[in-house]
Amino acid sequence: MAKDKISYVCTSCGYDSPKWLGKCPSCGEWDTFKEFREKKGTKRVLTGSDGFSMSTGSSPVAMSQIQTSDDPRINLHDPELNRVLGGGLVPGSLTLLGGEPGIGKSTLILQTVLRLTDKKVLYVSGEESARQLKLRADRIMENPLSSDEPAPAQDPSVLVVCEAMMETIFKHIESVEPDIVVIDSIQTMATENIESSPGSVSQIRDCAAQLLKFSKESGTPVILIGHINKEGSIAGPKILEHMVDTVLQFEGDQQYMYRIVRAIKNRFGSTAELGIYEMVQNGLRPVSNPSELLLSDIEQSEGLSGVAIGCAIEGVRPLLIEAQALVSTAAYGTPQRLATGFDTRRLNMLLAVLEKRIGFKLAQKDVYLNIAGGIRVTDPATDLSIISSILSSNVDSSIDRKTCMCGEVGLSGEIRPVSRILQRISEAEKLGFDTIIVPQSNMNGIDISKYNIHIRGVRKVEEAFRELFG
């Protein structure tokens, strides 16, 4: 009897080795090799670095002879998800949605496919029973999330099968001929070609390669739901992210109501887009204007110190966020620097600018910073609102709630220009702000008469503080 072939695979990059290695020669990671057992006589799927199957019968074709067609994207009836995907779901694409347990991955995909009444969807579940999916679907259909979007049909053309073996799944696909296939989740799938447990490196790689081959040959889009590990990356081999066309990351704190979908990789659109959802009782509601929700309690903080409104750009959309700061005397000698939703290292840099250039003594004080709503911002244009909230708390003086600001703070205390200033001004005006403080360098070419909001240009941090505190 022939013995099974044993090899070792790097869980980070998918590198194969006939023996165990401590350090991967391909990616340089340590202790990432796992045993991979393959049955003797089984046909192994060969994939390239980008995941496309290598067929021995293929031949080179001139680029000019390749026929292309502009296939219309599939409208998912979800403006946020359509935006992140680049305009809709591309036929023949392989999309991977990853996120923490309980964040709402299955709920997002299920409520999306329930609205596709003109498409036949095959929902393959390896984690939940058909009854559990039906209970969740009934809850979603009972209460539509928005009057603007089409409500789920009472008899949607969504077919559910609870199966984990790929050979059986492809038989169902052949008999049903669906327009969209959903796999929930890829870590629970297994194939008979590999003798290892579901979720192992070899099983994930082989199952994903089979689904990729099917989607490219048939033109059927496939959506994979994936788990993440404790480091926050997609569980399984790193080659899984190389194989798929689009990688979406579903983020959010379970203690907050907001969820964010980011495109980490997108072969058909920009990775700068993001979609924002609000977790409600009957599902995830798309948030078309997140600024209004993030600033919904603005009246309650009227007259309170340590609060400033900044305008950030996430993707291509402007987003008004509320920065909250608390400055107090260090009780235990060593000052604390804690930030939620903002980079702590950049916070330390801004505190050094305040102390060196402006003269505020914060070395012996605790500084706590929070971006309201659980949103994490990386736009440097929020620097001005961050230091304004810190100074407001330090001197215990409130900032006018009808004033917002944007500007990057340099190491010498100057206010540097920011991108898309017109979008930021328009967003502030739309939400009813009276004044916006912007870098003086961005004032060139702006027709102030076109706006009903006062636009103040500042060159240095001292000028911005005089505008805010007099």
Side-chain angles (χ1 to χ4, degrees):
M1 181 177 179
K3 294 183 178 180
D4 295 343
K5 180 182 177 182
I6 298 178
S7 61
Y8 294 86
V9 181
C10 175
T11 58
S12 180
C13 65
Y15 178 81
D16 274 327
S17 173
K19 62 180 181 178
W20 185 89
L21 300 174
K23 181 180 180 181
C24 177
S26 177
C27 64
E29 296 290 333
W30 288 87
D31 195 22
T32 56
F33 278 89
K34 303 296 181 184
E35 183 178 328
F36 163 58
R37 186 182 297 270
E38 184 178 357
K39 287 184 178 180
K40 196 69 175 178
T42 57
K43 184 179 179 181
R44 188 173 178 183
V45 180
L46 298 178
T47 58
S49 61
D50 57 356
F52 287 102
S53 59
M54 299 178 181
S55 175
T56 57
S58 62
S59 59
V61 180
M63 184 71 73
S64 58
Q65 298 178 0
I66 300 177
Q67 301 294 327
T68 60
S69 59
D70 294 332
D71 294 331
R73 292 176 181 255
I74 300 175
N75 182 13
L76 298 178
H77 301 293
D78 186 327
E80 301 297 305
L81 199 54
N82 282 337
R83 179 190 294 110
V84 176
L85 291 172
L89 193 62
V90 176
S93 63
L94 189 62
T95 303
L96 174 63
L97 175 66
E100 295 181 355
I103 203 69
K105 304 182 296 297
S106 301
T107 300
L108 175 63
I109 298 301
L110 182 60
Q111 73 179 30
T112 300
V113 298
L114 285 175
R115 286 166 171 76
L116 301 178
T117 55
D118 56 339
K119 301 291 182 182
K120 184 185 293 185
V121 180
L122 178 61
Y123 194 104
V124 181
S125 176
E127 298 180 345
E128 297 180 276
S129 65
R131 184 175 180 275
Q132 288 176 305
L133 290 172
K134 181 62 168 64
L135 291 174
R136 182 182 298 174
D138 290 341
R139 187 179 75 247
I140 294 174
M141 289 189 297
E142 283 178 4
N143 304 301
L145 295 174
S146 173
S147 58
D148 299 333
E149 296 296 326
Q154 293 300 319
D155 186 20
S157 47
V158 177
L159 305 176
V160 176
V161 58
C162 299
E163 181 59 55
M165 297 304 298
M166 293 302 303
E167 288 74 16
T168 308
I169 292 172
F170 281 115
K171 290 180 181 179
H172 291 305
I173 292 176
E174 185 179 355
S175 62
V176 172
E177 297 183 354
D179 299 316
I180 300 175
V181 177
V182 177
I183 304 294
D184 184 10
S185 64
I186 185 62
Q187 280 80 13
T188 61
M189 299 295 116
T191 175
E192 296 177 353
N193 297 336
I194 307 297
E195 193 177 279
S196 60
S197 60
S200 62
V201 174
S202 53
Q203 287 285 8
I204 294 176
R205 186 175 59 174
D206 202 78
C207 293
Q210 293 183 34
L211 291 169
L212 176 67
K213 187 174 184 294
F214 159 73
S215 65
K216 299 305 178 185
E217 291 180 350
S218 64
T220 304
V222 178
I223 300 176
L224 308 178
I225 298 177
H227 303 162
I228 65 173
N229 52 30
K230 60 183 180 181
E231 287 82 16
S233 57
I234 304 294
K238 196 67 176 177
I239 196 175
L240 176 62
E241 299 181 39
H242 292 281
M243 294 170 65
V244 301
D245 298 309
T246 306
V247 180
L248 304 181
Q249 187 78 18
F250 205 24
E251 305 172 352
D253 192 336
Q254 296 186 7
Q255 307 301 323
Y256 292 94
M257 65 183 73
Y258 302 111
R259 303 288 187 269
I260 297 177
V261 178
R262 299 180 187 271
I264 300 177
K265 170 188 175 183
N266 192 354
R267 287 175 176 159
F268 311 110
S270 172
T271 56
E273 292 289 354
L274 83 163
I276 300 181
Y277 293 86
E278 180 186 9
M279 177 64 78
V280 293
Q281 183 178 3
N282 56 315
L284 291 159
R285 185 179 70 84
V287 178
S288 58
N289 191 359
S291 296
E292 291 184 353
L293 287 178
L294 294 175
L295 303 177
S296 58
D297 298 331
I298 192 171
E299 294 82 5
Q300 298 181 8
S301 57
E302 183 71 34
L304 300 179
S305 62
V307 180
I309 307 299
C311 188
I313 292 288
E314 290 290 340
V316 297
R317 56 156 60 167
L319 185 66
L320 289 179
I321 55 97
E322 181 178 334
Q324 302 174 346
L326 176 62
V327 179
S328 61
T329 304
Y332 302 102
T334 303
Q336 301 291 319
R337 303 285 189 264
L338 298 178
T340 302
F342 192 75
D343 187 6
T344 307
R345 291 173 296 181
R346 191 164 186 85
L347 173 62
N348 291 329
M349 185 203 74
L350 295 176
L351 293 176
V353 172
L354 281 177
E355 181 142 358
K356 177 70 175 180
R357 304 297 181 185
I358 315 301
F360 290 98
K361 304 301 181 181
L362 300 173
Q364 298 301 321
K365 293 189 177 181
D366 295 334
V367 179
Y368 304 97
L369 179 68
N370 176 50
I371 304 299
I375 300 296
R376 181 170 184 84
V377 294
T378 57
D379 189 359
T382 57
D383 289 351
L384 186 56
S385 61
I386 297 298
I387 64 173
S388 298
S389 63
I390 293 172
L391 180 62
S392 172
S393 177
N394 186 45
V395 300
D396 199 17
S397 178
S398 63
I399 299 175
D400 184 12
R401 307 301 291 159
K402 291 296 184 179
T403 300
C404 67
M405 61 207 76
C406 62
E408 180 183 355
V409 177
L411 293 180
S412 59
E414 80 279 10
I415 306 297
R416 302 179 61 84
V418 298
S419 62
R420 297 178 181 172
I421 189 63
L422 298 181
Q423 288 181 275
R424 301 176 195 264
I425 296 174
S426 300
E427 180 74 7
E429 181 184 16
K430 182 174 66 175
L431 292 177
F433 284 86
D434 296 333
T435 306
I436 182 171
I437 300 176
V438 300
Q440 183 65 41
S441 303
N442 286 122
M443 294 292 291
N444 301 328
I446 297 180
D447 187 3
I448 301 179
S449 60
K450 292 172 54 178
Y451 299 95
N452 295 324
I453 184 174
H454 298 290
I455 305 174
R456 307 295 187 191
V458 293
R459 291 184 175 87
K460 294 185 178 182
V461 175
E462 298 95 323
E463 298 180 25
F465 289 164
R466 281 196 293 268
E467 291 283 347
L468 293 172
F469 304 103

